[in-house]
Amino acid sequence: MLKRFWSSLDKKYAKICLYASVTVIVTLIVVCLLYWTTGFWSRLWTIFTAVLKPLVVGGIISFLLSPIVDRIEGLFSRRKSHKWDRPLAILLSFIIVLAVIAFILVILILTIYKNISAINFESLLSIADLVQSDVQSLISTIEEQLKNIGISMNQLGGYVTGFLSGVKNVITTLFFGCIFSVYFMIDGARINRYWKRAFRIITSKKEEERFERFWSDADRIFSGYLRGQFIDALLVSVITGVVFLILGIPDALLIALLVGIGNLIPYVGPIVGYASLLLICLPQQAFTELISGIIALVVIMIIDGNVINPRLLSSNIKIHPLLVVAALIGGSALGGFVGMLVAVPVAALLKLEFDRFLADKEKDSI
């Protein structure tokens, strides 16, 4: 009876019903497994992100240092190649970078020292005497003000602890990122050959060609974007510093340095610059310098946005500003500063691959 009923049905639609039923059952099983093992997946995601962040940082460092390392290695191996050429070139590159960072820190320390030297300590001492006369009242007033804005002393301590934990995570990520970058720069070619061979063995010739095209696109976009952004940040920082020094703006080099660091991420540099001008010029009542600094920074950012940055990135990044903002929000939520730094090239790579997918589909349909 069942066999006769089955044969009376259209076999094509019967197969469709069977496949749909199996799909629904498998989907329910997967959803239930994900629900029952939520803790496991969250821990797995935590481990994955903990490993991914230093890997991304290591990749960024290796992208940025590779031209310097190659140039230094070429000087060592001009007459004869040695086994120590590459490691020594990497070591010297890190020394150069650390020297530049030390120079920047010296500028920051000198600027802070100059500001501290300008403080009237006699007035501060008189204020301290007043404060010491009624310390408990001052603490109570601070607690009352914090309570009015919805913050308790315990919450404030939690914020401080969270900030210190974030600083620790940044230092740890940078440390392991440097270690990964050393391995990338020493064994990068060997790692690349290994995964190409593995992909060739596992997949077909067509998939291998797609993978090589994707890897070539990723290398071009990421290396071009990261190096372009760092060169752009350096140029903007130098131009801002020179212009601000000519205008006589207080702490011109410090503001220029902050603008350059902020300019590593699209749309962040101007915000950092305007905020720095307000924080430095307003307490010193340098209103004329504040207005001239804001006007100069607007002009610099217009030139950077329309001339310098497009020329550095036009061959690698072609992406709508709306997608840039969406990528920055997503990158910040997933990976903080590092996520924002790589969000734009990731979005550009995904858009390029999607456009190629559409072009291939359109070609197949013709």
Side-chain angles (χ1 to χ4, degrees), residues 111-175:
T111 305
I112 294 170
Y113 175 76
K114 185 186 73 173
N115 290 334
I116 292 175
S117 300
I119 296 174
N120 188 349
F121 285 99
E122 291 183 1
S123 62
L124 285 180
L125 288 173
S126 62
I127 294 172
D129 292 336
L130 289 173
V131 170
Q132 288 176 2
S133 63
D134 198 358
V135 176
Q136 191 60 42
S137 175
L138 178 65
I139 294 174
S140 301
T141 304
I142 293 173
E143 288 181 352
E144 187 70 26
Q145 293 297 324
L146 289 173
K147 192 179 293 183
N148 289 336
I149 61 175
I151 299 176
S152 64
M153 293 299 288
N154 291 332
Q155 286 177 322
L156 186 62
Y159 294 149
V160 174
T161 303
F163 174 76
L164 294 176
S165 176
V167 171
K168 176 189 171 185
N169 291 335
V170 169
I171 294 173
T172 305
T173 302
L174 282 174
F175 175 74

Side-chain angles (χ1 to χ4, degrees), residues 46-326:
T46 303
I47 295 171
F48 174 74
T49 53
V51 175
L52 183 63
K53 284 183 180 180
L55 274 173
V56 172
V57 171
I60 293 172
I61 294 172
S62 63
F63 268 131
L64 295 173
L65 290 185
S66 289
I68 303 174
V69 172
D70 294 339
R71 183 66 60 87
I72 296 174
E73 185 184 11
L75 294 175
F76 290 150
S77 59
R78 181 175 294 176
R79 296 182 179 179
K80 182 182 178 182
S81 61
H82 309 86
K83 289 184 178 180
W84 46 264
D85 288 345
R86 190 75 176 174
L88 184 58
I90 294 171
L91 177 62
L92 289 176
S93 300
F94 273 103
I95 291 174
I96 293 171
V97 171
L98 289 175
V100 172
I101 294 173
F103 175 74
I104 293 172
L105 289 176
V106 167
I107 293 176
L108 288 173
I109 292 170
L110 290 176
T111 305
I112 294 170
Y113 175 76
K114 185 186 73 173
N115 290 334
I116 292 175
S117 300
I119 296 174
N120 188 349
F121 285 99
E122 291 183 1
S123 62
L124 285 180
L125 288 173
S126 62
I127 294 172
D129 292 336
L130 289 173
V131 170
Q132 288 176 2
S133 63
D134 198 358
V135 176
Q136 191 60 42
S137 175
L138 178 65
I139 294 174
S140 301
T141 304
I142 293 173
E143 288 181 352
E144 187 70 26
Q145 293 297 324
L146 289 173
K147 192 179 293 183
N148 289 336
I149 61 175
I151 299 176
S152 64
M153 293 299 288
N154 291 332
Q155 286 177 322
L156 186 62
Y159 294 149
V160 174
T161 303
F163 174 76
L164 294 176
S165 176
V167 171
K168 176 189 171 185
N169 291 335
V170 169
I171 294 173
T172 305
T173 302
L174 282 174
F175 175 74
F176 286 106
C178 290
I179 294 175
F180 280 128
S181 69
V182 171
Y183 281 107
F184 288 155
M185 286 186 284
I186 291 177
D187 294 328
R190 193 182 307 167
I191 294 171
N192 190 19
R193 287 195 302 269
Y194 173 82
W195 283 109
K196 278 187 176 180
R197 175 176 171 272
F199 202 84
R200 184 172 61 251
I201 294 172
I202 295 171
T203 61
S204 62
K205 182 68 175 177
K206 188 175 181 180
E207 293 298 324
E208 180 190 354
E209 291 175 355
R210 288 181 178 175
F211 173 76
E212 288 184 355
R213 186 178 65 180
F214 174 82
W215 183 255
S216 176
D217 291 337
D219 180 66
R220 176 175 58 84
I221 289 175
F222 273 83
S223 61
Y225 174 79
L226 293 174
R227 289 169 188 159
Q229 281 297 105
F230 271 83
I231 294 172
D232 177 72
L234 179 62
L235 290 174
V236 169
S237 183
V238 171
I239 294 171
T240 305
V242 171
V243 172
F244 280 14
L245 284 173
I246 294 172
L247 295 175
I249 294 172
D251 300 326
L253 295 179
L254 176 62
I255 298 174
L257 178 63
L258 294 175
V259 170
I261 294 173
N263 218 51
L264 291 173
I265 301 171
Y267 308 121
V268 175
I271 298 172
V272 174
Y274 302 139
S276 302
L277 282 169
L278 290 171
L279 291 173
I280 290 176
C281 292
L282 285 181
Q284 302 182 33
Q285 296 183 350
F287 301 116
T288 305
E289 290 81 0
L290 174 62
I291 295 172
S292 60
I294 290 175
I295 294 173
L297 192 59
V298 168
V299 174
I300 291 170
M301 289 302 163
I302 290 174
I303 295 172
D304 176 59
N306 293 279
V307 180
I308 300 174
N309 195 273
R311 287 183 179 274
L312 289 172
L313 303 178
S314 60
S315 61
N316 301 302
I317 300 292
K318 293 179 181 177
I319 185 171
H320 195 276
L322 186 62
L323 186 56
V324 172
V325 175

